């Protein structure tokens, strides 16, 4: 099957005539489909189309825009199983998690559909008599949504849905590893009645297609999720061109386990957060910070559970962990294992590519656990994006919090403790955008802000009401009905 770009409400070939393949990472000989390798001219057509559609879309009442989103959510509900199965095939995550990804997209779409009847601003008293003051949200214009492969449906909805409900038009450039799910999302919005030109999609590599979009003068805001290195490039280009930029780029998330924790629960939380989605979540737990009294017991239970995880095709209900997304990620994870060993960390389990049985033809990597990790080692500082857990032992809560906060990222952290006082100290002092108590580092819900401190982003938050702050401009409105000149700050006594 050969898919096309979506520009001006039509499915069109790329002007380049070139294409690339989307393959199954669990069975790498399987080509799922081909998609266009777009260039600057395709991007330009998409941006022009979005710019033409903007005046009409921004004036359509927001509740009407919301109805289209609501219909899109309804279609996703109907097609949940089909979308999840396609996602497992294209991205590799196990079917249960793929259903979760689709569900997160549904949740976000319903949530933003509802915003069509809210989009709250403020009404506040004026300091002058016979004068009315309020703030309203205005759309920004043409938005570039550049999305990663690890949540092929959910993350696109985090960007596209708030952008649309706020009255913007969009050019969407999905990750090259998961274009088919992106195409399905566009098809669903088309079926839901989205007018042509309001959402456009071009596929192609980030370095060319993505950068052409980032640097296009017709794009006012870039919303990007991906690696720190790419985020930096987007940030630099955006700054040069005076664009708004919203970035989300990863984490080095930790779970803290105190001596007084419910260890059964902590083991479950660590296994799920470190090895769920094969460690390929921005929120994945890649550091376990454990208090000395329970360290040996906890680690031996985690190792036992990690060894028992079943790797293979995500379509089989018994599979616990799917493959990594591609060859370069496989290489990268292997390299970090070598770095960890050379820095003196001790490998307790895993550490290599899995090749037996169902894993023969995919990018599988064994669940890996290192102990004797010190906080400044590279495996304790750098995002790996694979099933690798680094265990750091500490003596106190203060030390745990200090180590948790001492990385260039600040997305998610968690503490397992049965002491409410420790829990509240952690809530106060963990300096990440997400904090969990007695739960792992993954599993954020769409109605709350999502994002992180330090190098995880640039201060914005997706999801919840906070997303609307990315995708709209505040306009403060003053209506003077006194019939005379009233000077603020002067005529107020
Ligand atoms: C991501 O990995 O970029 O909180 C998103 C979670 C999911 C979203 C993860 N709801 O793990």
């Amino acid at each position: 099957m050969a898919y096309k770009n979506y520009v001006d409400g039509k499915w069109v070939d790329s002007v380049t005539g070139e294409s690339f393949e989307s393959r199954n990472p669990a069975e790498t000989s399987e080509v799922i489909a081909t998609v266009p390798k777009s260039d600057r001219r395709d991007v330009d057509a998409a941006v022009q189309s979005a710019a033409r559609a903007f005046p009409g879309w921004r004036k359509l009442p927001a509740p009407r825009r919301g109805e289209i989103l609501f219909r899109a959510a309804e279609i996703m509900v109907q097609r949940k199983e089909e979308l999840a199965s396609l996602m497992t095939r294209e991205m590799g995550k196990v079917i249960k998690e793929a259903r979760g990804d689709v569900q997160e997209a549904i949740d976000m779409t319903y949530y933003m559909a509802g915003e069509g009847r809210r989009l709250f601003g403020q009404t506040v008293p004026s300091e002058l008599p016979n004068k009315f003051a309020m703030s309203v949200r205005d759309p920004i214009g043409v938005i570039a949504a550049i999305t990663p492969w690890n949540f092929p449906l959910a993350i696109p909805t985090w960007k596209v849905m708030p952008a649309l409900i706020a009255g913007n038009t969009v050019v969407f450039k999905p990750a090259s590893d998961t274009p088919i799910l992106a195409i399905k999302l566009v098809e669903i919005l088309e079926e839901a009645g989205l007018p042509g030109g309001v959402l456009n999609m071009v596929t192609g590599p980030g370095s060319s297609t993505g950068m052409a979009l980032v640097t296009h003068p017709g794009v006012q805001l870039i919303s990007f999720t991906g690696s720190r290195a790419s985020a930096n490039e987007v940030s630099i280009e955006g700054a040069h061109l005076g664009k708004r930029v919203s970035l989300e780029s990863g984490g080095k998330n930790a779970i803290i386990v105190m001596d007084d924790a419910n260890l059964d629960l902590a083991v479950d939380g660590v296994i799920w957060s470190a090895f769920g989605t094969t460690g390929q979540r921005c929120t994945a737990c890649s550091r376990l910070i454990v208090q000395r009294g329970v360290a040996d017991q906890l680690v031996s239970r985690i190792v036992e559970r990690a060894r028992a995880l079943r790797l293979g095709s995500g379509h089989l209900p018994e599979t616990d962990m799917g493959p990594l997304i591609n060859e370069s990620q496989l290489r990268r994870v292997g390299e970090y294992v070598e770095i960890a060993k050379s820095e003196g960390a001790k490998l307790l389990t895993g550490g290599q590519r899995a090749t037996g049985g169902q894993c023969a033809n995919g990018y599988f990597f064994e669940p890996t656990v290192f102990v004797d990790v010190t906080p400044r080692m590279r495996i304790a500082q750098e995002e790996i994006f694979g099933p690798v857990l680094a265990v750091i032992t500490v003596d106190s809560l203060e030390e745990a919090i200090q180590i948790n906060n001492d990385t260039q990222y600040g997305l998610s952290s968690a503490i397992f403790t049965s002491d409410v006082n420790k829990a509240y100290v952690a809530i106060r002092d963990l300096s990440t955008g997400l904090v969990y108590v007695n739960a792992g580092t993954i599993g954020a819900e769409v109605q709350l802000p999502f994002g992180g401190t330090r190098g995880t982003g640039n201060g914005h938050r997706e999801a919840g009401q906070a997303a609307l702050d990315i995708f709209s401009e505040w306009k403060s409105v003053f209506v003077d009905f006194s019939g005379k000149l009233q000077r603020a700050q002067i005529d107020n006594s």
Side-chain angles (χ1 to χ4, degrees), residues 215-269:
T215 54
H216 194 293
V219 169
Q220 278 83 42
L221 163 75
I222 302 133
S223 172
F224 174 86
T225 299
S227 71
R228 186 67 236 160
S230 305
N232 283 342
E233 284 181 51
V234 171
S235 189
I236 289 164
E237 291 299 333
H240 279 309
L241 298 163
K243 294 177 187 231
R244 282 154 182 66
V245 176
S246 166
L247 304 170
E248 203 277 284
S249 58
K252 191 67 196 172
N253 315 296
I255 292 180
I256 297 169
V257 180
M258 303 305 294
D259 283 348
D260 58 29
N262 172 340
L263 283 198
D264 293 339
L265 191 61
V267 171
D268 285 345

Side-chain angles (χ1 to χ4, degrees), residues 104 150-151 155 158 225 248 280-283 385 434 436 441-445 450:
E104 195 160 352
N150 68 332
F151 276 81
I155 293 183
W158 292 8
T225 299
E248 203 277 284
Q280 302 175 109
R281 293 195 191 209
C282 304
T283 50
F385 231 59
L434 310 166
Y436 291 87
T441 51
I442 68 180
E445 301 178 27
F450 182 94

Side-chain angles (χ1 to χ4, degrees), residues 26 49 60 65 120 173 176 225 248 251 261 298 371 402 433 448 450:
S49 152
L60 188 71
R65 298 197 291 258
F120 290 142
K173 206 298 283 176
S176 297
T225 299
E248 203 277 284
L298 182 70
V371 289
Q402 190 273 324
L448 286 145
F450 182 94

